[in-house]
């Protein structure tokens, strides 16, 4: 397995920090609202893919891009990156906050997204369904993880974590339910895998149903023993699932013979 | 310790009108035993050379007719379960019997108590139960059980995986019944990349679910899943009460307050015209049941329990083994006194049922009346007495 190395791309709205590892078909991995983290799933994917993990502007101390104020603009930013630096359609994988960005990218720039993987994407929480905001790390972990003992060690300071949260809130602009995005979901042409934790507590189950119903070539999969942070709760199951999907496309539903 | 994050919450489906203060409910249960063994098999599995196909057909005819007639005898549910490789029960797949009963009955609930979930393909179980529910007009009670140790040898499943398989399969089946969109499933033991069953159950969101418990560990599991609790082969009322209290406490923690009809107690039962007659009928039947039919199972159980983690702790294993040994070793009088069986004249059985209600808070009693080789005529007489002289006196407890 490759070690991630840090790069920087120069885009029209500002610099974009990237972490890249692995060889193979490019895979753009968009991080969650917690900020960039390398999960065992992402590490395993570097064996088959060149994993490109951008740091969303304003996260982890990177400069904000003044012209990039919402998810639509973030999607445009990544579209520019794909066109300039990758040069062809690539697979895109988005975790929670990153899933929302990935959805906008697939809606607005369908020609740039080959396969799309969404892990508990945000953006479809009706305002009436008010999820509690945990005020302490233990409560937060209980909400995010079915297996809190598998949560990664947090290396960022409390101030850095707060800054990441603030950046995420900034892109959301107080919108919890993206009606416009919901309407445009049928425009997505990428074959899409929607992964939801069976013990999901952050994203309402209806969000998965909505995505499955409106994205024309989509698969909704529940992972038992996983909450919102599926990559950390069940890395083996999720890693195998995503690798299969990216490798075999629609045929991933067909079981292959076990090789002794 | 309960790990809320790892649970599957089954939606309580209170489609039954029976709640607190409502009438007691009763089930007629049949184990479908082979009644003709001359000698006890000494080892598991019981050799099947003695099986006779013509006799088998006769037995299925008689047993299924008796079960269908439970509707006429005033029972609320008729129940069947699943066992393998054994003259103890000819019901390798109770869903087949359920299908026959769906065609022969009109209103009685069909309780499958239940499919041995860790041994089976959960999608197949979800489909077969959904078929039964639709075929019967929404009369299925869906029982899921972990089973007894020897079944794991029969179906070549590691006993130590039984709890994890049970938990995963139950969650998957609930999803298969309730999801509005096709879905995939990934868990340690089950992976299905694309699920969308036809038919779905008729009852919404799904049929009532019953899970069995014989100790506090399994009672906790039932409570977590907000299902009905089923208990069989009670060694004594106090230990049963302990498990029921655990169930109630845990269920309340999940926002479900079980009512008496959620507590379902199964008892071997002989109702005859007099106490003396009932005892004279039950004693040899129990002897055949424990001494002949159960013997190979006990052998398999010994093998399984010494080499696996079928139970979570040694205490639970000892409790299970001790409970069966206790039942086997006691006299019939002791068993009646301990509340382990129902036996006697209608008047005596009324008292025994009242005791179950008062001591355990149970609002539903399952009567297992075909014990070992007891004659079918005795069973039918007991059903008549139940209808005419027992039920009227316990209906409004």
């Amino acid at each position: 397995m490759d070690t991630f190395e840090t790069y920087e791309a120069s885009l029209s709205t500002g610099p974009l920090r990237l972490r890249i590892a692995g060889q193979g078909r490019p895979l753009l991995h968009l991080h969650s609202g917690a900020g960039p983290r390398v999960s065992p799933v992402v590490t395993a994917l570097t064996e088959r893919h060149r994993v490109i993990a951008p740091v969303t502007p304003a996260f982890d101390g990177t400069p904000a891009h003044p012209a990039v104020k919402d998810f639509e603009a973030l999607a445009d930013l990544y579209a520019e990156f794909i066109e300039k630096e990758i040069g062809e359609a690539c697979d895109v994988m988005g975790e929670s906050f990153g899933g929302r960005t990935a959805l906008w990218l697939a809606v607005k720039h369908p020609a740039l997204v080959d396969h799309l993987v969404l892990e508990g994407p945000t953006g479809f929480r009706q305002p009436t369904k008010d999820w509690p905001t945990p005020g302490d790390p233990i409560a937060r972990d209980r909400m995010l993880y079915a297996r809190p003992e598998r949560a990664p060690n947090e290396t960022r300071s409390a101030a850095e974590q707060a800054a990441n949260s603030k950046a995420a809130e900034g892109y959301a602009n107080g919108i919890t339910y993206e009606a416009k995005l919901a309407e445009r979901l049928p425009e997505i042409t990428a074959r899409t895998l929607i992964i939801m934790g069976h013990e999901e507590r952050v994203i309402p189950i209806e969000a998965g149903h909505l995505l499955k119903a409106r994205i024309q070539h989509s698969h909704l999969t529940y992972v038992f023993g996983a909450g919102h942070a599926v990559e950390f709760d069940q890395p083996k199951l999720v890693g195998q699932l995503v690798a299969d999907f990216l490798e075999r496309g629609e045929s991933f539903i067909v079981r292959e013979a076990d090789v002794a | 310790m309960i790990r809320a994050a790892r649970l599957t919450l089954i939606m309580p489906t209170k489609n039954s009108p029976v709640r607190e203060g409502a009438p007691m409910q009763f089930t007629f249960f049949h184990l479908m035993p082979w009644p003709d063994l001359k000698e006890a098999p000494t080892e598991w599995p019981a050799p099947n050379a003695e099986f006779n196909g013509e006799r088998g057909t006769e037995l299925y005819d008689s047993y299924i007719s008796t079960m269908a007639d439970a509707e006429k005898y005033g029972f609320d549910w008729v129940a069947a379960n699943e066992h393998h490789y054994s003259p103890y029960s000819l019901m390798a797949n109770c869903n087949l019997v359920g299908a026959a009963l769906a065609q022969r009955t009109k209103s009685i609930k069909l309780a499958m108590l239940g499919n041995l979930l860790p041994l089976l393909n959960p999608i197949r179980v979800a489909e077969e139960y959904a078929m039964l529910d639709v075929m019967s007009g929404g009369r299925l009670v869906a029982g899921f059980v972990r089973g007894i140790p020897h079944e794991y040898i029969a179906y070549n499943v590691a006993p130590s995986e039984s709890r994890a398989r049970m938990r995963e399969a139950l969650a998957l089946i609930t999803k298969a019944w309730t999801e509005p969109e096709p879905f995939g499933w990934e868990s340690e033991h089950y992976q299905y990349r694309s699920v969308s069953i036809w038919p779905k159950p008729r009852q919404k969101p799904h049929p009532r679910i019953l899970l069995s418990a014989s100790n506090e560990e399994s009672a906790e599991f039932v409570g977590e899943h907000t299902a009905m609790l089923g208990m069989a082969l009670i060694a004594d009322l106090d230990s049963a009460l302990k498990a029921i209290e655990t169930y109630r406490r845990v269920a309340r923690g999940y926002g479900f307050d079980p009512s008496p009809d959620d507590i379902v107690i199964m008892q071997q039962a002989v109702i005859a015209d007099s106490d003396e007659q009932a005892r004279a009928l039950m004693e040899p039947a129990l002897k055949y049941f424990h001494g002949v039919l159960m013997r190979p199972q006990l052998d398999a159980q010994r093998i399984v329990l010494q080499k696996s983690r079928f139970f979570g702790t040694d205490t639970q294993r000892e409790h299970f083994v001790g409970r069966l040994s206790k039942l086997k070793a006691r006299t019939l009088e002791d068993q009646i006194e301990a509340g382990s069986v129902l036996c006697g004249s209608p008047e005596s059985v009324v008292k025994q049922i009242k005791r179950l209600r008062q001591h355990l808070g149970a609002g539903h009693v399952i009567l297992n009346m075909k014990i070992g080789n007891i004659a079918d005529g005795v069973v039918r007489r007991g059903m008549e007495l139940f209808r005419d002289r027992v039920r009227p006196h316990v209906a409004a407890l």
Side-chain angles (χ1 to χ4, degrees):
Chain A
M1 275 171 238
D2 256 6
T3 309
F4 278 88
E5 291 181 342
T6 304
Y7 298 83
E8 188 169 284
S10 178
L11 300 176
S12 60
T13 53
L16 180 67
R17 188 190 297 171
L18 307 152
R19 293 197 290 184
I20 301 177
Q23 296 298 321
R25 208 167 76 233
L27 169 65
L28 189 69
H29 184 276
L30 304 180
H31 63 75
S32 74
R37 297 179 300 185
V38 178
S39 73
V41 171
V42 173
T43 305
L45 284 168
T46 61
E47 290 185 1
R48 303 185 191 190
H49 294 269
R50 179 168 167 77
V51 178
I52 303 157
V55 179
T56 306
F59 275 76
D60 278 7
T62 60
H65 294 197
V68 180
K69 292 180 173 163
D70 57 21
F71 285 93
E72 282 196 64
L74 266 181
D76 293 338
L77 173 89
Y78 290 130
E80 183 187 343
F81 171 76
I82 294 169
E83 282 172 336
K84 269 191 184 169
E85 304 295 336
I86 299 178
E88 59 181 347
C90 67
D91 297 333
V92 177
M93 182 171 174
E95 202 188 349
S96 187
F97 167 95
R100 186 168 171 178
T101 316
L103 277 165
W104 272 115
L105 178 62
V107 162
K108 294 189 76 179
H109 306 277
L112 297 179
V113 181
D114 191 349
H115 287 75
L116 177 62
V117 178
L118 307 166
E119 297 172 332
T122 59
F124 299 104
R125 176 156 46 109
Q126 291 285 5
T128 47
K129 296 193 173 181
D130 198 18
W131 292 84
T133 306
D136 63 83
I138 293 171
R140 181 200 61 204
D141 282 0
R142 278 197 197 125
M143 195 162 152
L144 292 172
Y145 301 94
R147 305 284 301 268
E149 71 278 11
R150 292 186 180 172
N153 287 330
E154 183 56 73
T155 53
R156 286 167 280 236
S157 68
E160 286 166 333
Q161 289 177 60
N164 280 357
S165 294
K166 198 176 166 194
E169 285 165 18
Y171 288 110
N173 294 304
I175 298 170
T176 55
Y177 188 87
E178 294 237 44
K180 194 168 139 195
L181 177 59
E183 272 176 30
R184 295 189 62 184
L185 290 172
E187 295 173 33
I188 294 176
T189 55
R191 184 158 292 280
T192 303
L193 173 64
I194 306 147
I195 305 175
M196 299 281 281
H198 182 257
E199 287 86 42
E200 171 67 81
R201 287 156 186 249
V202 177
I203 305 297
I205 190 169
E206 292 83 1
H209 299 155
L210 176 90
L211 291 163
K212 169 70 186 108
R214 295 203 182 170
I215 300 174
Q216 47 185 324
H217 304 298
S218 62
H219 308 265
L220 168 63
T221 295
Y222 293 100
V223 179
F224 186 79
H228 185 59
V230 293
E231 286 189 17
F232 293 95
D233 274 332
Q234 294 297 340
K236 196 174 155 195
L237 293 173
V238 173
Q240 186 60 52
L241 173 69
V242 173
D244 258 13
F245 175 72
L246 294 178
E247 182 77 21
R248 301 200 282 140
E250 64 182 338
S251 300
F252 91 112
I253 62 172
V254 183
R255 182 173 178 147
E256 290 189 316
D258 295 328
V259 179
Chain B
M1 168 107 179
I2 299 158
R3 299 179 53 94
R6 300 179 68 176
L7 302 179
T8 309
L9 185 65
I10 295 167
M11 289 166 264
T13 54
K14 292 295 145 195
N15 46 16
S16 163
V18 179
R19 304 303 297 159
E20 190 77 49
M24 287 282 289
Q25 293 205 327
F26 293 93
T27 290
F28 179 78
F29 173 85
H30 210 302
L31 195 58
M32 293 198 165
W34 184 260
D36 304 334
L37 280 187
K38 304 281 181 301
E39 285 178 24
T42 51
E43 288 190 343
W44 192 90
N48 55 17
E50 267 192 60
F51 181 80
N52 174 302
E54 285 174 22
R55 175 68 171 141
T57 304
E58 274 174 26
L59 289 173
Y60 279 122
D61 281 349
S62 171
Y63 290 169
I64 291 171
S65 296
T66 307
M67 293 175 83
D69 285 346
E71 188 168 73
K72 296 180 199 155
Y73 289 113
F75 287 91
D76 301 283
W77 301 357
V78 56
N81 71 355
E82 172 186 333
H83 290 288
H84 300 283
Y85 291 9
S86 175
Y88 165 88
S89 168
L90 303 179
M91 200 115 57
N93 182 348
C94 60
N95 302 348
L96 297 179
V97 173
L101 293 171
Q103 301 300 307
R104 296 188 193 198
T105 56
K106 296 285 178 213
S107 58
I108 196 167
K109 294 261 186 193
L110 308 178
M112 301 296 104
L113 304 178
N115 283 196
L116 298 175
L117 207 41
L119 305 184
L120 305 173
N121 179 327
I123 296 298
R124 179 72 178 212
V125 174
E127 289 177 328
E128 288 190 2
Y129 271 8
M131 282 180 69
L132 280 177
D133 196 46
V134 176
M135 287 166 64
S136 66
R139 291 189 280 135
L140 176 75
V141 176
F144 299 110
V145 296
R146 194 159 68 103
I148 46 183
H150 75 88
E151 318 283 13
Y152 286 77
I153 310 174
Y155 271 37
N156 195 31
V157 171
S160 52
E161 292 177 359
S162 64
R163 278 184 300 274
R165 284 180 177 273
M166 180 82 187
R167 195 175 279 278
E168 291 174 27
L170 186 53
L172 170 55
I173 289 170
T174 310
K175 273 277 180 227
W177 282 346
T178 56
E179 273 294 292
E181 296 290 337
F183 68 97
W185 180 265
E186 297 286 326
S187 63
E188 186 184 351
H189 299 289
Y190 306 106
Q191 297 90 38
Y192 293 91
R193 292 277 162 90
S194 203
V195 179
S196 182
I197 64 165
W198 284 73
K200 288 174 89 170
R202 177 166 162 163
Q203 297 177 79
K204 299 298 173 197
H206 56 70
R208 294 186 78 188
I209 290 176
L210 183 145
L211 303 171
S212 66
S214 60
N215 57 43
E216 288 184 72
E217 179 206 22
S218 46
E220 218 173 81
F221 179 80
V222 185
E224 288 170 18
H225 287 80
T226 66
M228 288 183 284
L229 169 81
M231 292 186 90
L233 295 173
I234 289 173
D236 63 81
L237 292 181
D238 287 338
S239 55
L241 182 61
K242 222 170 159 185
I244 289 169
E245 282 171 347
T246 300
Y247 161 67
R248 286 196 177 111
R249 174 178 51 75
V250 174
R252 284 186 194 119
Y254 287 85
F256 173 58
D257 194 6
S259 64
D261 61 300
D262 291 309
I263 297 162
V264 182
I265 304 296
M266 184 193 279
Q267 300 252 300
Q268 291 175 314
V270 173
I271 310 171
D273 289 283
S274 68
D275 285 345
E276 294 70 29
Q277 198 185 353
R279 283 165 169 73
L281 291 164
M282 195 172 206
E283 206 140 25
L286 283 176
K287 199 173 168 193
Y288 180 80
F289 177 78
H290 287 295
V292 178
L293 293 180
M294 283 288 283
R295 184 137 169 215
Q297 267 85 303
L298 294 174
D299 185 51
Q301 176 188 296
R302 178 184 56 76
I303 298 166
V304 172
L305 295 184
Q306 70 183 347
K307 285 291 175 195
S308 78
R309 299 293 296 174
F310 183 77
F311 291 103
T313 65
D314 290 346
T315 313
Q316 284 151 8
R317 187 181 66 238
E318 282 155 18
H319 172 84
F320 176 83
V321 175
R323 187 177 55 129
L324 289 180
S325 310
K326 209 169 165 182
L327 282 170
K328 192 183 165 190
R330 283 186 313 195
T331 65
L332 178 55
E333 282 308 319
D334 291 341
Q335 291 191 54
I336 296 169
E337 183 57 33
S340 303
V341 298
L342 301 174
C343 179
S345 66
E347 293 68 31
S348 296
V349 170
V350 164
K351 284 182 198 159
Q352 291 159 13
I353 290 172
K354 284 182 176 173
R355 188 158 67 125
L356 289 177
R357 174 63 184 244
Q358 285 157 5
H359 203 97
L360 302 179
H364 194 136
V365 178
I366 298 176
L367 281 71
N368 175 9
M369 301 175 85
K370 176 68 183 178
I371 304 164
N373 55 0
I374 203 164
D376 287 1
V378 171
V379 175
R380 282 190 174 270
R381 177 63 185 150
M383 294 166 87
E384 279 173 9
L385 292 169
F386 167 78
R387 178 191 59 201
D388 299 336
R389 292 169 54 190
V390 174
R391 177 147 201 159
H393 299 284
V394 290
L397 290 179

